[in-house]
Amino acid sequence: MTNKLVAYIGILGVSLFAIAAIVGPLLIEDYSVVSQYISESFAINTEYGRYLQYFGYIPSGILITIFCFSAPRKLPSSKLIVAGFFGLALFYGLGTILVGIFPCDAGCPTDVINSSLAQLIHNAVASLTYIFFPICLIGIGLGFKKFENYERLSQIAIITGIISGIFIFSLFSDPNSGYRGILQRIIETSFIVFMVGSALRIGAGAEVKL
């Protein structure tokens, strides 16, 4: 694939995610972006949940996976960069596909005792995604540090990795927080910023300097 095509795939992937995350709450009366998880907008039995799953999150996850597996071929050769992007493909790309296929129960409860199988899978995949993706971002950022033309992308990766890590820790500390919706949206925005930055950088296709 050309650099431009890889870049378009990455931007389209996160754009679908962002659109679904914005449109979903608008379709549900009394939904609060401050206190409700994104997943609650396509939970089991929500009226438009299937549309958000199959036209938003699942194709988004597919495109993000393709982008993250393809990106290292368009970037400087570094084990950290390859490992980081492959980690994002597995934990964020495939993770988004799985949480789309297995929506949470109404209200996305964290109580495992009364949860459905879909809810258990949803929570497990989401937890693994949030544990590993800040590590992947920081690893990618450190991998870029030795390449002269990639200082900006290195900074973006490290900063978004740190920011997402802080807010993930806050979310894990109190998953029922009245601000969990905002916390999650800051986390997702951090990832989107990195993805757009890396896609634009790949699309520009500048020469690598050591």
Side-chain angles (χ1 to χ4, degrees), residues 66-99:
I66 294 170
F67 173 82
C68 290
F69 276 134
S70 303
R73 299 174 190 153
K74 309 298 181 182
L75 294 166
S77 179
S78 164
K79 290 182 180 179
L80 277 175
I81 293 172
V82 172
F85 271 105
F86 279 21
L88 290 178
L90 293 173
F91 292 109
Y92 204 99
L94 294 178
T96 301
I97 296 170
L98 287 173
V99 297

Side-chain angles (χ1 to χ4, degrees), residues 95-115:
T96 301
I97 296 170
L98 287 173
V99 297
I101 293 172
F102 299 100
C104 64
D105 299 336
C108 292
T110 55
D111 177 17
V112 299
I113 296 176
N114 298 314
S115 296

